[in-house]
Amino acid sequence: MPKLRAMSLWEYANPRKFMATSAALLPWVIALSAICLGTGLIWGFFFTPDERLQGASVKIFYIHVPTAMMAINAWAMMLVTSLIWLIRRHHVSALAAKAAAPVGLVFTAIALITGALWGQPTWGTWWEWDPRLTSFLILFLFYLGYIALWEAVENPDSAADLTSVLCLVGSVFAIVSRYALLFWNQGLHQGWSISATDGEAPVADVYWYPAMISIAGFVLLFVALVLFRTRTEIRARRLKALITRERMA
Amino acid sequence: MPELGRYAFAVLTSYGAALALLSGLIVYSVLRAKRVLRQLREAEARRGPTQ
């Protein structure tokens, strides 16, 4: 009987293993993401009724909520991979964090823009210095700072060290963004839109199902983009090493 | 097309902005991936076969 070998997560710290596995996974993740995004957004935009109080502006829900969730989750993923880098010094994990940052930045920007566009007709204002909105803006600035720091430091290992520490600090704002309402219990922004907090469903089924599919689509899009961009970062790192060797020869 | 009424600007701009930002990120990522891969192949060709 063949001996079963336990798969270890650490095998993916090997760039060759990561490249082989991600190459096989990427087409499936991209296809699933396109199917979920297409289904969720078309269903939500064209085939859901207007909400009693918010009217047709409820259609922003299918973009705003998933991107806001992913803006925080992207930073959480960067936190985990940054910790792996700091503790175990696996280059792939540092490069995955680097690859995820622009994706998180774009999700945060979309959440802020759609939030302002939704807030204007709903609250009568584009922006309010509300705890959740403010912490989200700070998270956006942390993403910018994180990306700038990677670009500013020449040595890739030093850049990974410094950005990992910045990621740990920024995690405070990622947590605050998610739990701002629990911490302060004030501000314009409503509570959690998807998960029930008091045993009662926060949204009706007619909105909930397309929202879930849309969220799945944005999660898969994030995974696809991070896999794709990490592959590029691994190649870029090898290219840099080859050019350095050429110069030294 | 659903009737969006007075929310048309907010809804359509939200979808448009999201589409534009995500498309920009995807196009930038693909172009950079192609450039890095081309440069890596050139560098490996200059280096010759590995031992």
Side-chain angles (χ1 to χ4, degrees), chain A residues 37 41 44-46 50 53-63 67 98 102-103 106-107 109-110 113-115 117-118 121-122 126 218 221 225 228-229 232-233 235-236 238-239 242-243 245-246, chain B residues 1-47 50:
Chain A
L37 279 176
L41 293 179
F45 189 89
F46 290 100
D50 290 355
L53 297 173
Q54 301 184 49
S57 73
V58 74
K59 295 184 191 303
I60 299 172
F61 177 67
Y62 308 106
I63 291 180
T67 51
K98 183 184 181 186
V103 187
V106 167
F107 281 148
I110 293 172
I113 292 168
T114 55
L117 286 162
W118 201 1
T122 310
W126 301 97
F218 277 101
L221 177 65
L225 281 167
F228 184 80
R229 292 175 57 84
T232 304
E233 294 301 336
R235 285 176 175 144
R238 174 158 171 75
L239 173 65
L242 287 177
I243 289 171
R245 268 186 230 167
E246 276 178 10
Chain B
M1 184 77 179
E3 181 57 52
L4 300 173
R6 69 187 187 93
Y7 301 108
F9 172 77
V11 174
L12 295 177
T13 310
S14 292
Y15 277 76
L19 187 67
L21 284 169
L22 287 173
S23 301
L25 176 68
I26 290 167
V27 168
Y28 171 76
S29 301
V30 169
L31 291 179
R32 179 162 184 264
K34 282 185 176 176
R35 193 182 71 237
V36 168
L37 185 59
R38 190 189 70 243
Q39 290 174 341
L40 180 60
R41 281 180 178 154
E42 287 169 2
E44 283 177 336
R46 283 197 303 273
R47 187 177 169 226
T50 51

Side-chain angles (χ1 to χ4, degrees), chain A residues 178-209:
Chain A
R178 174 154 288 173
Y179 299 106
L181 265 101
L182 294 182
F183 293 157
W184 286 282
N185 198 28
Q186 64 176 32
L188 278 176
H189 202 286
Q190 68 183 72
W192 292 337
S193 304
I194 293 296
S195 52
T197 49
D198 52 2
E200 197 174 315
V203 289
D205 285 355
V206 69
Y207 306 113
W208 194 82
Y209 288 116

Side-chain angles (χ1 to χ4, degrees), chain A:
Chain A
M1 191 173 169
K3 189 179 175 184
L4 289 174
R5 192 166 62 92
M7 282 292 287
S8 163
L9 185 67
W10 304 119
E11 287 184 34
Y12 297 98
N14 179 337
R16 282 181 193 278
K17 176 75 179 169
F18 180 89
M19 292 298 273
T21 309
S22 60
L25 274 177
L26 253 177
W28 294 99
V29 181
I30 292 170
L32 273 173
S33 167
I35 291 167
C36 288
L37 279 176
T39 307
L41 293 179
I42 289 171
W43 185 354
F45 189 89
F46 290 100
F47 303 108
T48 55
D50 290 355
E51 206 264 344
R52 187 172 54 88
L53 297 173
Q54 301 184 49
S57 73
V58 74
K59 295 184 191 303
I60 299 172
F61 177 67
Y62 308 106
I63 291 180
H64 177 73
V65 172
T67 51
M69 281 177 66
M70 288 315 298
I72 298 168
N73 291 342
W75 195 275
M77 173 257 164
M78 287 162 57
L79 172 65
V80 171
T81 49
S82 295
L83 283 172
I84 291 171
W85 163 255
L86 288 174
I87 296 164
R88 299 194 61 145
R89 314 301 285 180
H90 290 318
H91 288 110
V92 173
S93 64
L95 296 177
K98 183 184 181 186
V103 187
L105 178 77
V106 167
F107 281 148
T108 312
I110 293 172
L112 284 169
I113 292 168
T114 55
L117 286 162
W118 201 1
Q120 208 285 326
T122 310
W123 301 329
T125 180
W126 301 97
W127 180 262
E128 186 71 34
W129 294 102
D130 158 287
R132 180 172 272 188
L133 272 63
T134 307
S135 56
F136 236 86
L137 180 63
I138 295 171
L139 182 64
F140 178 78
L141 296 176
F142 262 96
Y143 271 118
L144 281 179
Y146 180 92
I147 294 166
L149 192 55
W150 261 109
E151 298 302 319
V153 181
E154 183 69 20
N155 183 293
D157 285 4
S158 301
D161 286 338
L162 292 170
T163 52
S164 295
V165 173
L166 181 66
C167 188
L168 295 182
V169 177
S171 298
V172 173
F173 290 94
I175 293 166
V176 167
S177 301
R178 174 154 288 173
Y179 299 106
L181 265 101
L182 294 182
F183 293 157
W184 286 282
N185 198 28
Q186 64 176 32
L188 278 176
H189 202 286
Q190 68 183 72
W192 292 337
S193 304
I194 293 296
S195 52
T197 49
D198 52 2
E200 197 174 315
V203 289
D205 285 355
V206 69
Y207 306 113
W208 194 82
Y209 288 116
M212 283 294 115
I213 297 171
S214 181
I215 287 170
F218 277 101
V219 170
L220 289 163
L221 177 65
F222 174 76
V223 173
L225 281 167
V226 171
L227 286 177
F228 184 80
R229 292 175 57 84
T230 305
R231 290 169 61 80
T232 304
E233 294 301 336
I234 289 170
R235 285 176 175 144
R237 185 183 163 87
R238 174 158 171 75
L239 173 65
K240 196 170 185 178
L242 287 177
I243 289 171
T244 306
R245 268 186 230 167
E246 276 178 10
R247 284 178 185 160
M248 288 171 69

